Structure formats: C-alpha cells, structure tokens
Amino acid sequence: MAASGQSTDPNTNIPDYEYIDVNTKPFHIASFRNEWLSRLKPSDISYQQEDEDAFDANFAKEMGLGPEIMSQLKSVCSVDSLRCHPEDQQPDPEVVPPNSTLKTLVERKKRQDYKASLKITKNRHDLYADELERLTVGRKPSAVADMIPEGEIILTINVYYPATYEKFCYVRPHMTLLMTGSHTLAELRDGICCVSDLQVCGEFSNTPDIAPDFISKDHYKSSFFFFEGVFYNDMRFPECRDISITTVEWAKSRNFPPYSQAKMEETRFTDLKVKVGFPYLYCHQGDCEHLVIITDVRLVHKNDCMDKNLYPLLTHKHRIVTQKCAVCHLFIGRWFTTNDQFAPSDPCLFCDKCFRMLHYDAAGNKLGDFLAYPYVDRGAFN
Amino acid sequence: MDLNRKLVKSDCEELLSRFQKTDSVRFEIFSNTWREMKFSHIFYGTKKREKRVFSRLVLDTASSFFLPPYSFQIRVGGLYLLYSLYQCQTTSPPEQIRLALKDWEDVKKFEKDALNAQHHDIVYILHRLLFLRAFHFTAMPTLLVFQKKRKVERSVQREAFIERTSRPQELINTEMLEELSNIHELYEKLKTSVCSTTNSSVNLSRKDLIPQLCSTVMNFYKLQQKDGSDDGEEDSGEGTSSQQDCSKRAERLAFIKSKAYGEAPEACKSRRHRQVEVDLTSNEAGPSNMSGSTRISKPSLKARTNENVHISGDMWKEASTTTMINCLTTLDSAPEKQKNLKRFKWR
Ligand SMILES: [Zn+2]
Ligand SMILES: [Zn+2]
C-alpha cells in the first residue's frame, strides 16, 4: 500500500498550501468548482431541504436497518442527548455559566468581569457591524432570474487600504467583499470605495461653491487588477487608458518573465488562476495602490445572500477614526487650508460650516489671504 | 484571540481524551462525556457579533480532529464534536463547518471504514450533517489572509491522539513473507542448476533473510509498544505483530464492537474484525482497505517471477523494480520520507 503513488501527480485543481497556513498554490477557480461538483451529490448542495422522515427512511434502507434499530439510533443521536441541563431550566445563554471547568469559560468570565468594571457601552461601530451582518444573511431575490444557481462559487475578497496608513502593520484596515464566480473583475472594481476616487483636486478658495463637482472617478477612470502575472485593465470607457503598459514594457525590456494583459470587464472570477491568501494588487487614480487578497473560495450555501444584484456584498468595513474640524471639534473635516491667517495651524482642517463662517462674509466674499482645498476624510464612508 | 484559540483547543482535547479513555466509538458514550463536561455551555456568555466569531473559531478548531493524522477513534470523536458543536451553537443562522477539497478523500475513506465496520452511528451522524447542509465546501480549511507568524509556533498535536506508524508491519506480513521465501527457494534452485559446483563466489544471497526480516519487524513493533506504553495505545498491530498482541487487540475490538449497532450475522463477525483491524491501523498510512484488495488482484509475485525468470536476465531486472523486494530495499528511507511530508502538511 505504500506504493499507491498518488503523490507523484498531484491534481493541480485541488488547492493545497504553498506555505502552510499562509497561502495556496495557484489553481483555476472553475476547475476547482468542477472538482467539488464531481464529488458531491446534488442534494449535498441543494437549497431545498428534504423531509426529516424521508431522510431517516432512506438511511435505514441504505444501511439495511430495521425500524426498531433505526428509532434507537435516531434517539441516541438526537440533539436532546447533548442538553447539559434539565429541560425546564434553560439557563440564560447571554450569561457565562458559573463554576464551569471549561478553560474557555473561565477566561470569558474573567474578561467580562473586567469589561463590566470599565463600564464601556457599545459604540456606534459595533452597532453598525451588527447591522451589516443582518443585511447579508440569507437574502432571496424578488426575481428568479437574479437567483444565484446551486453550485456557484462564492469568493471572499479583502481589499486593503493603501499602506501609507500609519497603523497598517498592526490592524491592516480593509473592507471585505463577497463575489460570485460569474461576476467580473470590473464589478469588483465598482464595489471598492476608496476616498481617492472622491478626492477633489485643486484650490477653490475663490469659488468654494463649485468645488464638489470635480470628482476624481469621473476624470481618471483607468485602473487595473494584477493577478498571477496578468494585468486586468478597466477598458469600459473611451477615456480609459491601459495604465499597465508602462510596467509591461519595462519588464519586457529587462528580460523579466513576461506579463500579459486582459480586460477587467471580460474576466470572470471563474476564469482566474490564483492563489488563495496571496496578496495581489488593485491600482487606480494612477498611484493609489491597494492590496487585494482572496481569502476564501467555496461553493454557495443556502444561507448565503442569493440575490445576484446585491454583489459585491460588503461584509466588513474597517472603521477609521475621522479627522474633526479644528474649530468645533464636532464635525468631520471638509476643507483644509494653507497660508491661512485665521488658522491655528498650517495646514488646518475645517468643517464646511466653520470654514465658511471664518473665511467669508455674509455675502460670500473671501476675507484675507489663504488657500483652500476640498478634503474627503478617509472615514467619510463610516 | 490567540489565547482564546488555545483554550478552546485545550477544552476540545480534554473532551476527546476522556472519550479516548472509554475505548469506544459510540455516540452514546460521547454524548455522555459531553454532558459530563457541560460542553454546550462553551457558547454561553458570547454576545451578538461575538457569537458568530466564536462559532467560527470553535468549529475550525474541532475540524482538525476529524482528519488525519489522528487515529480512527479520535477522528470519530472529532466528527461527533463537530456535530454537537454545530447543533448547539447559539448564532442564527448557524456557522458552517468548513471542509476543504483536499480533505474530502479522507472523509470518504473514513466513511467507508465506518461502514465496513458497521458503525451505524458514525455514518448516521456524518449523513445527518450533510442533510443539515452543515458544510461549506471550500478551497482550504480556514480563511487565509497571508498572515505570516512572527514566532514560529507550530500548533502541537497530542501524541496520544495520533495513529502510530505501521508501514513496516503492513508491508512485512505473512503473505509477503511466504512469497519471499518462495522466490528465495526458486532462486536457490535456479542457481544450483546453473552452477554445478558449489562455488562460494555465487553465494550472494542471505540464507536467513526471511527469519531475519521477520524478527526485525517484530523488534520494531515491540520497541514501538514500549515507547508508548504509558498511554496504553495499541493501534498498530497488523501483520506480523505477535500473537499475544493480536489477541489483545481483537479482544478490545470485540469489546468496542459489542456495543455497536451490528445486525450482521455472527458468522462474518471475525471477518469484520479483520476489517476493523485494517482500518484502525492504516489511517495515517494512506488508502486503507484498498490494500487488501489490490494485493489480491495483482498476480502473485511467484507467478510473475516464474513467468519472467526463464526468459531473460533483463526482464527479471525490470520486473524486480516493481516487486516488493524493491519496496523492501527502500523501506528504510522511502516511507519515512513520506511520513515526514504528511506531518509537515498537517502542522
Ligand atoms: Zn484607492
Ligand atoms: Zn467646525
């Protein structure tokens, strides 16, 4: 039996580690899906739940068990057999049971007592996280055509904020999106919200009212993803440019392994050959670079959100501490000024109201000398 | 978070270790242990979002016990643990158990072993989990975020839970020794027919090869037993293991069996024992009950030798690369290497 020799020709469509617990070797998503589907019975992945009695009857038949043995088996394996308290004395599941021997519970009790001593109430972010979760679980579409078919692939994708963020090493702030295998990379791109897409460029101290009309996304539409040696460019709009070409040609001229290009809007996730857990790249606005990690690939489950149109589905978003106005310390900054005689610092951040009150008269005339730039806070999406 | 993971793992190990001491694979015994430890309570005291995060953590931790390199009994415990945790979790809808594609073969093999041994409760629980759609069919066992560990901290496996090496015993069994001695005999005969005079220069083979091989494997087995004598585990005992060990093993298996939901006629009981025995010993070593059938389906080595040996010397050489003799000569290095690979893969 030692010579079964299965290890000599590993199936490359069966994902395995490249580095243990870190990332996998590359595999083709559609082939991976087919490997699973070829092994499973349709009922294993069906959204439809069969009848309990039918299941038991079927099992008894398959195993050749008489009704008596079957009912005995059923009762032995029932959920009731796991109940750790009398039926009429259901303890409060919100409370850590006292005197438990489980180490997990001893620690949990300790931690809860400590937290209680601090008297911290739930903050806005925690509430928001609960909200996000409630929205995503088990949603069904109104139209049958929008239903995700059984056996579809679901990918979990983390998109990280640019690494310039000072605390990146510890918390690695990111957003998590779910996609299906038949979605395109362009659809992922549209689901990524980054402040640099909203950044308004230019100095507007003389005309503060027209500033918000200039939004970067409208001006610089080009962007690309980079997976396994391929640049996937967004070429949906006539003003899009292949911004990867510089890199491709630079690599070519230096005898690097060749990179190739493809169109984001024509590439479905099932077409990709990628490593799970490996950092790839999303680049937009010319130089705003985000790491992208596909953290999970799996078959769709009946509890997943089944409305195609709700993908990319946001399941996590890092809460960023917002920069507040230097005057009122209350509202999120919308403007920053330089060379500003009214400002306590240079540069200085103001909310819209304080900015206008301080820098313009009632008729809207500019007072004094300063330069003003619209500012979009990183946490503006919170 | 890391501390939490450690504590959960340690609680699971405590449960499984108590289960291991019962020498049973019955769910009834497992649920007893579960209630005794009030294991359902592990979910209590988590709030809102914490609930889901904790369910994820505890299911991921328990999953590893359901897979090799753990012994059959521990894997049964791992399956029961997953089922119980899945049913008792307090988050709704429940978190799923993650099952990676590469581990599917192991699960199917496990199911086959349980089926062959007529462990109906094991099969029932597994089928029930599938019926409940308790699984996520995934690429990998956990979500991967390119988290490189600063400290290399290999999560340690409980030595007592792991199936002991049994390749030598499996390879050097009676059947194989018989064939080997046949070949040996054949070879000696051929040799004497070629060289009329007994010339010491053609005395290249060892006269006592078979008894030596046998006693070496016996020694290895005894040493192994002595090594792990404190935990009282005797899972490797196939093939040439001594009579006494075999019977002791059979006794224990019979004890386990006696509590099984077996409806099969008494007549084939011993046969089934053999089956269980094979299953138990070969969990780590790869395809289990395949071994018996493939060995039988191949033409016997003797037949193949008879066919090849008188045709030409080259043919003999060619044939020998696929024979067990070849396996024997590489026994020292090859299986060891493979074992290391496996360890590596499984943390
Ligand atoms: Zn960006
Ligand atoms: Zn203000």
Side-chain angles (χ1 to χ4, degrees), chain B residues 56-258:
Chain B
R56 181 75 271 137
L57 168 80
V58 78
L59 288 173
D60 283 350
T61 308
S63 290
S64 66
F65 296 109
F66 178 39
L67 296 166
Y70 294 113
S71 72
F72 184 73
Q73 200 206 355
I74 291 299
R75 291 181 64 191
V76 172
L79 172 70
Y80 292 163
L81 182 59
L82 280 173
Y83 171 76
S84 308
L85 290 169
Y86 183 79
Q87 295 282 23
C88 294
Q89 60 180 313
T90 48
T91 185
S92 168
E95 274 292 296
Q96 265 59 50
I97 299 161
R98 293 174 61 86
L99 188 56
L101 180 57
K102 68 187 173 64
D103 299 328
W104 180 251
E105 284 318 305
D106 284 323
V107 172
K108 289 316 269 184
K109 202 150 62 57
F110 173 87
E111 184 191 12
K112 208 172 155 196
D113 290 351
L115 261 172
N116 285 338
Q118 309 248 324
H119 295 316
H120 294 141
D121 43 359
I122 302 177
V123 183
Y124 182 75
I125 296 276
L126 182 60
H127 284 207
R128 188 126 190 101
L129 282 173
L130 284 164
F131 165 78
L132 291 168
R133 310 284 185 274
F135 293 109
H136 265 165
F137 301 107
T138 66
M140 295 315 268
T142 57
L143 268 73
L144 298 175
V145 291
F146 205 67
Q147 197 70 256
K148 291 200 168 154
K149 283 161 203 125
R150 287 189 192 90
K151 277 178 282 175
V152 184
E153 195 186 320
R154 281 265 151 270
S155 52
V156 263
Q157 293 166 339
R158 274 226 181 175
E159 205 46 48
F161 286 2
I162 294 172
E163 199 64 57
R164 208 163 279 136
T165 317
S166 54
R167 285 273 171 86
Q169 293 98 303
E170 278 157 28
L171 190 65
I172 316 294
N173 56 24
T174 345
E175 202 182 317
M176 185 268 179
L177 285 171
E178 225 171 86
E179 293 215 349
L180 196 62
S181 93
N182 277 332
I183 297 163
H184 201 74
E185 205 180 305
L186 194 74
Y187 171 74
E188 290 296 334
K189 256 190 222 154
L190 268 171
K191 199 169 65 182
T192 44
S193 71
V194 172
C195 333
S196 42
T197 54
T198 338
N199 184 342
S200 69
S201 68
V202 287
N203 257 343
L204 294 175
S205 66
R206 300 177 70 138
K207 281 246 154 51
D208 59 345
L209 175 68
I210 288 99
Q212 261 228 319
L213 197 58
C214 191
S215 75
T216 307
V217 176
M218 284 285 271
N219 281 339
F220 167 75
Y221 179 72
K222 273 185 200 141
L223 206 72
Q224 206 181 34
Q225 290 299 299
K226 219 169 88 189
D227 255 4
S229 56
D230 42 28
D231 58 44
E233 253 303 295
E234 285 143 25
D235 268 345
S236 36
E238 249 261 292
T240 56
S241 58
S242 70
Q243 274 305 311
Q244 196 201 351
D245 280 331
C246 270
S247 60
K248 207 162 137 203
R249 224 185 115 65
E251 236 168 67
R252 206 186 88 207
L253 287 164
F255 173 67
I256 293 171
K257 293 288 313 169
S258 70

Side-chain angles (χ1 to χ4, degrees), chain A residues 19 21-23 160 172 277-279 293 295, chain B residues 144-148:
Chain A
Y19 297 103
D21 292 344
V22 176
N23 68 274
Y160 295 82
R172 297 215 282 182
F278 195 77
I293 300 184
T295 60
Chain B
L144 298 175
V145 291
F146 205 67
Q147 197 70 256
K148 291 200 168 154

Side-chain angles (χ1 to χ4, degrees), chain A residues 1-2 4 6-7 13-17 20-24 27 32 35-36 39-40 43-46 48-52 55-56 59 62-66 69-70 72-74 76-77 79 81-85 90-97 101-105 107-108 111-112 122 129-130 133 137 156 158 160 169 172 276-279 293-299 301-303, chain B residues 3-4 7-8 10-11 27-28 30-31 34-35 37-52 54 83-84 87-88 90-91 93-94 96 98-102 104-105 115 120-121 123-125 127-128 130-150 154 167 170 261 263 282 285-288 291 295 327 338 344-347:
Chain A
M1 79 161 1
S4 47
Q6 289 157 326
S7 52
N13 296 322
I14 299 180
D16 208 342
Y17 288 117
I20 289 178
D21 292 344
V22 176
N23 68 274
T24 69
F27 63 95
F32 157 76
E35 293 287 345
W36 256 131
R39 285 165 173 77
L40 297 170
S43 65
D44 295 336
I45 52 164
S46 168
Q48 218 67 44
Q49 185 71 60
E50 310 110 280
D51 179 59
E52 288 267 346
F55 167 77
D56 286 334
F59 183 82
E62 231 173 274
M63 309 290 290
L65 303 179
I69 297 242
M70 190 58 217
Q72 197 190 345
L73 184 62
K74 218 183 139 176
V76 163
C77 298
V79 181
S81 66
L82 300 167
R83 205 182 40 234
C84 300
H85 45 78
Q90 166 78 37
D92 183 359
E94 301 280 301
V95 176
V96 182
T101 54
L102 297 175
K103 290 180 185 162
T104 309
L105 290 184
E107 173 67 21
R108 189 177 292 153
R111 210 163 351 118
Q112 261 181 20
K122 203 166 208 187
D130 288 342
E133 182 186 304
V137 155
T156 308
N158 281 1
Y160 295 82
C169 298
R172 297 215 282 182
V276 168
F278 195 77
I293 300 184
I294 299 172
T295 60
D296 188 31
V297 181
R298 60 173 172 84
L299 298 184
H301 182 272
K302 70 186 177 82
N303 289 349
Chain B
L3 171 71
N4 224 342
L7 296 174
V8 167
S10 142
D11 285 334
F27 185 74
E28 205 171 0
F30 175 87
S31 61
W34 172 279
R35 287 193 304 268
M37 287 180 71
K38 294 195 191 304
F39 217 86
S40 301
H41 290 173
I42 200 159
F43 291 105
Y44 288 8
T46 48
K47 305 226 161 76
K48 303 266 160 121
R49 211 180 117 71
E50 233 179 15
K51 276 185 190 168
R52 191 161 291 283
F54 183 72
Y83 171 76
S84 308
Q87 295 282 23
C88 294
T90 48
T91 185
Q96 265 59 50
R98 293 174 61 86
L99 188 56
L101 180 57
K102 68 187 173 64
W104 180 251
E105 284 318 305
L115 261 172
H120 294 141
D121 43 359
V123 183
Y124 182 75
I125 296 276
H127 284 207
R128 188 126 190 101
L130 284 164
F131 165 78
L132 291 168
R133 310 284 185 274
F135 293 109
H136 265 165
F137 301 107
T138 66
M140 295 315 268
T142 57
L143 268 73
L144 298 175
V145 291
F146 205 67
Q147 197 70 256
K148 291 200 168 154
K149 283 161 203 125
R150 287 189 192 90
R154 281 265 151 270
R167 285 273 171 86
E170 278 157 28
Y261 298 94
E263 262 197 325
S282 51
S288 66
S291 64
R295 225 176 265 150
C327 294
Q338 202 145 349
F344 185 57
K345 205 152 112 190
W346 284 107
R347 299 187 245 182

Side-chain angles (χ1 to χ4, degrees), chain A residues 162 194 196 284 288-290:
Chain A
C194 170
S196 72
H284 67 138
C288 187
E289 298 181 339
H290 300 252

Side-chain angles (χ1 to χ4, degrees), chain A residues 252-299:
Chain A
K252 209 186 274 171
S253 69
R254 277 162 182 80
N255 276 333
F256 271 112
Y259 293 125
S260 58
Q261 290 143 296
K263 287 180 181 167
M264 201 187 272
E265 60 274 22
E266 288 172 6
T267 309
R268 295 170 188 279
F269 281 95
T270 44
D271 304 330
L272 291 178
K273 194 173 177 185
V274 283
K275 300 174 180 179
V276 168
F278 195 77
Y280 295 109
L281 188 66
Y282 166 61
C283 179
H284 67 138
Q285 297 303 331
D287 64 351
C288 187
E289 298 181 339
H290 300 252
L291 288 184
V292 174
I293 300 184
I294 299 172
T295 60
D296 188 31
V297 181
R298 60 173 172 84
L299 298 184

Side-chain angles (χ1 to χ4, degrees), chain A residues 368-380:
Chain A
D369 272 343
F370 63 91
L371 297 171
Y373 305 87
Y375 174 83
V376 182
D377 192 88
R378 262 196 291 256

